[in-house]
Structures are given as C-alpha cells and as structure tokens.
Amino acid sequence: MGAGIDSRPYIEIYDGEVRLKVPPSLSHSLVQPRFARVMQDLAGERGFVLTELHVRVGAVDGTDTLYLPDVCYISKALRDRLLEGTRVPELTPEIIVEIRSPKKG
C-alpha cells in the first residue's frame, strides 16, 4: 500500500510535492490539545476547532495540496461542507495552526 491518508508515514502534499509529515515530539503532543482548547474558548458558538483534519486546499497555480494541520478553526458555514460526507474535503479552514517541534541537535 502506498503512502497516503490511511498509512504511515503520513504525507502532506504542498504545491504538488509529496512531503513526509514529521512525527510530533512530546512537547508538540502536549501543546496541541491545549492550543485547541484555547482556540475553542475564543471561537465560542461561532465555529469549531479541530485537530489533524485532512483538507485539500489546492493552490493558486492549480497544483494539489493535501494538508494535515495540527489545529484548525472552521466556521459553522464551512462545517456544513464537512458534513456532506467528503472524506478529504476541498476547503481551507479560516485559521490553521502548525505547532513546530524543537529541532534536535
């Protein structure tokens, strides 16, 4: 089976180029849910904060971009598009957060 959404290592596609998603460090795994909780408190009833949501955002030049943001916010209007049953929705969340792990060495 080739690399993809359901296999490891996970990949992301930026501007048509396949890139491996870097495994999170312990500090990354601790920060992600805390950050999501703060964002959800700020979002209130206006929308939803999700972690590790696969999205196909595309690019201005038409190249494929499959993305797995650490934390993202989507409004209620965008949520309706998620509920349509598309496995990898073609949408761009209003806010995307990538949590950077400290470099080793």
Side-chain angles (χ1 to χ4, degrees):
M1 179 188 299
I5 294 172
D6 293 327
S7 62
R8 292 186 182 187
Y10 291 125
I11 63 165
E12 293 178 315
I13 302 172
Y14 295 88
D15 299 328
E17 290 185 33
V18 175
R19 301 173 194 223
L20 293 178
K21 183 156 177 71
V22 178
S25 66
L26 176 60
S27 59
H28 179 283
S29 296
L30 292 170
V31 169
Q32 184 179 13
R34 291 177 181 170
F35 201 90
R37 194 170 24 239
V38 168
M39 283 180 63
Q40 187 62 62
D41 288 345
L42 293 169
E45 298 296 317
R46 293 180 296 270
F48 304 89
V49 174
L50 304 164
T51 58
E52 305 290 332
L53 173 69
H54 287 90
V55 291
R56 190 173 301 280
V57 297
V60 174
D61 65 1
T63 54
D64 191 31
T65 301
L66 177 63
Y67 193 56
L68 182 61
D70 292 322
V71 181
C72 67
Y73 165 83
I74 61 168
S75 64
K76 287 184 176 183
L78 277 182
R79 181 204 57 183
D80 293 342
R81 290 179 54 195
L82 283 175
L83 296 177
E84 291 174 357
T86 304
R87 186 154 181 228
V88 180
E90 293 189 20
L91 60 84
T92 302
E94 285 91 347
I95 299 172
I96 290 177
V97 176
E98 278 296 318
I99 299 167
R100 294 181 60 187
S101 296
K103 289 184 178 181
K104 293 180 181 180

